[in-house]
Amino acid sequence: MADFDYDLIVIGSGPGGYVAAIRAAQLGLKTACAEGRATLGGTCLNVGCIPSKAMLHASELYHEAKSGALAKFGIDLQGTSLNLDQMHAEKSKAVTELTGGIEFLFKKNKVDWLKGYATFESANSVSVAGKTVSAKNILIATGSSVTPLAGVEVDNDAGVIVDSTGALALPKVPEHMVVIGGGVIGLELGSVWLRLGAKVTVVEYLDQILPGMDEEIRKESAKIFKKQGFDIKTGTKVTGATVKDGKATLTVEPAKPVPSGAEGGGDASTIEADVVLVSIGRRPNTDGLGLDKVGLALNAKGQLETDHDFRTKVPSIWAIGDVIPGPMLAHKAEDEGIAAAENIAGQTGIVNHDIIPSVVYTYPEIAGVGLSEEQAKAAGHDIKVGKFPFMANSRAKTNRDTDGFVKVIADAKSDRVLGVWIISSLAGTLIAEAALAMEFGATSEDIAYTSHAHPTHAEALKEAAMAVQGKPIHI
Ligand SMILES: Cc1cc2nc3c(=O)[nH]c(=O)nc-3n(C[C@H](O)[C@H](O)[C@H](O)COP(=O)(O)OP(=O)(O)OC[C@H]3O[C@@H](n4cnc5c(N)ncnc54)[C@H](O)[C@@H]3O)c2cc1C
């Protein structure tokens, strides 16, 4: 492209942006990626998926060793102690390895890293670190950041009221941590500190945790979390917070006022905590992009709207990932990154947004793909549901790992699978089979008659599929 410096400039190097840049380069486009952070990989690699999974894994190992849970397998681990600095160091090492890996992949694929934050100058140019760079196409992949909560001011340096980034790096185990928001991030990070010895209270505005998931899964998850020691206060609103002498005092009140004396009602009260994690959601990053220069407006949720090909209403500008509508998930951003790059290169890139799995990496893990039972009914489907508990799965029983179940929701007439929900230590891995089956339009019978290796947790998915027709073997 003689007239432009690049065929494509990607703004942001998160899982959406870096994957799009690599795919575009693979397809022969001269590509650059602007990133203002000191390392590549975006939220996911630096302060999201990767460090949280590192802390979840390490804290799970610690908890298993410390709690005496291994004694029944003949493993006595007396005197287990926590070296939190080392745990953080190992997490940081994983982050450094993985962010460095993206830098390596950029070099390998000849993607130029433009170091700095990009601001639009025109529909075909941006300014990065004071330099104007032009491209035939520009892809916005600027991701998201933590949604603030009015009256509860985050200060990660002070370490009392923190967001997810602060909660991933606490220098000591809090005595009492209050998590505001019973969604994925709050429950994952709450699990980390609960396992390391904190008392953890989750305050959720809605009447159940894990919004958006299947109702039965939400209820069962809450039961399991409570058994683990989480104090879960649903239907509760945080109205403010004060910090004094390194402690926070939160004011809370019932989310829905009820007549005095009625069950579940009550006046405002306070909760003391030494750490408060604000995890009520994330909002798209668009500040400083200079969207007004190119005539792009945001929707009511602050997101950029695109068409099916991920093109905005300005033909040379595209957008993907957390900055556009849809679930804020790394693999959704990656899939969109590949599709957008293919479309920009003149190929046909498509993402099936109906089949994007979501996983909560707690213990056990909680995963789902497709419709919940409530969504399937609301969409007018006549449904059949098959369920199978891990209590009846031989491998789970042998491993003493029997929490949870698989739920398969199929259309009653066509038998086509509409949704699969799993609570299991391996749910995040098992859900991939369900997603693949659904991508191919599988019926529950297709899954039921597919051979599954024995003994594996995956057999529970097969049996839940058999249960759709009412014929599981092991229950
Ligand atoms: C604690 C936590 C745990 C999570 N765990 C998971 C998980 O297990 N699985 C999962 O699927 N998702 C998880 N997520 C969500 C996941 O991180 C996001 O969905 C994903 O990172 C979105 O990717 P993205 O490419 O859209 O944007 P991001 O990853 O947010 O990356 C955007 C990048 O753009 C850069 N940027 C912004 N503006 C500019 C600009 N003007 N110029 C240059 N650069 C700019 C930012 O610095 C950032 O690096 C988690 C999130 C958090 C916070």
Side-chain angles (χ1 to χ4, degrees), residues 209-224:
I209 57 168
L210 293 174
M213 294 207 143
D214 183 274
E215 200 79 14
E216 208 174 352
I217 292 284
R218 295 171 79 184
K219 281 194 186 130
E220 182 64 18
S221 306
K223 244 194 256 165
I224 293 171

Side-chain angles (χ1 to χ4, degrees), residues 11-17 34-37 42-44 47-49 52-53 116-118 141-144 164 185 282 285 289 321-322 328-331 333 361:
I11 307 178
S13 72
E35 173 56 66
R37 229 182 253 275
T43 303
C44 175
V47 291
C49 325
S52 61
K53 265 78 257 178
Y117 287 95
T142 48
S144 63
S164 55
I185 292 175
R282 297 182 61 80
N285 288 333
L289 261 180
D322 281 8
M328 287 184 165
L329 293 169
H331 44 286
Y361 295 86

Side-chain angles (χ1 to χ4, degrees), residues 299-313:
N299 69 14
K301 292 185 173 160
Q303 299 156 325
L304 281 164
E305 295 278 354
T306 68
D307 64 12
H308 196 62
D309 294 336
F310 307 103
R311 199 193 282 260
T312 68
K313 73 180 181 53

